[in-house]
């Protein structure tokens, strides 16, 4: 049992270190919509569509 906890701790530290040092920069807000045909629409911050969608979604996510 002690080995399992030690291994879990080691894995958690490794994941944290990987994300900390090799992960992407701070994530920026983006909104995406995926359709059945495989196409994707991504709205970037600052666009009018993003601002409208974000204004609706933010209160529900908090």
């Amino acid at each position: 049992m002690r080995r399992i906890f030690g291994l879990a701790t080691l894995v958690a530290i490794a994941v944290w270190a990987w994300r900390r040092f090799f992960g992407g920069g701070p994530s920026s807000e983006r909104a995406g919509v995926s359709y059945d045909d495989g196409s994707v629409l991504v709205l970037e911050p600052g666009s009018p569509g993003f601002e409208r969608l974000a204004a609706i979604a933010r209160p529900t996510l908090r």
Side-chain angles (χ1 to χ4, degrees):
M1 189 59 93
R2 194 177 259 185
R3 283 186 174 180
I4 292 173
F5 286 124
L7 181 61
T9 303
L10 184 62
V11 168
I13 291 170
V15 168
W16 172 81
W18 180 265
R19 288 183 178 174
R20 173 87 166 112
F21 297 112
F22 298 111
S27 63
S28 62
E29 289 184 312
R30 289 184 302 192
V33 179
S34 300
Y35 296 98
D36 286 337
D37 65 358
S39 60
V40 177
L41 170 69
V42 177
L43 300 171
E44 295 293 331
S47 68
F50 176 83
E51 296 304 326
R52 285 192 300 261
L53 183 60
I56 294 169
R58 281 186 187 123
T60 61
L61 295 174
R62 293 177 189 204

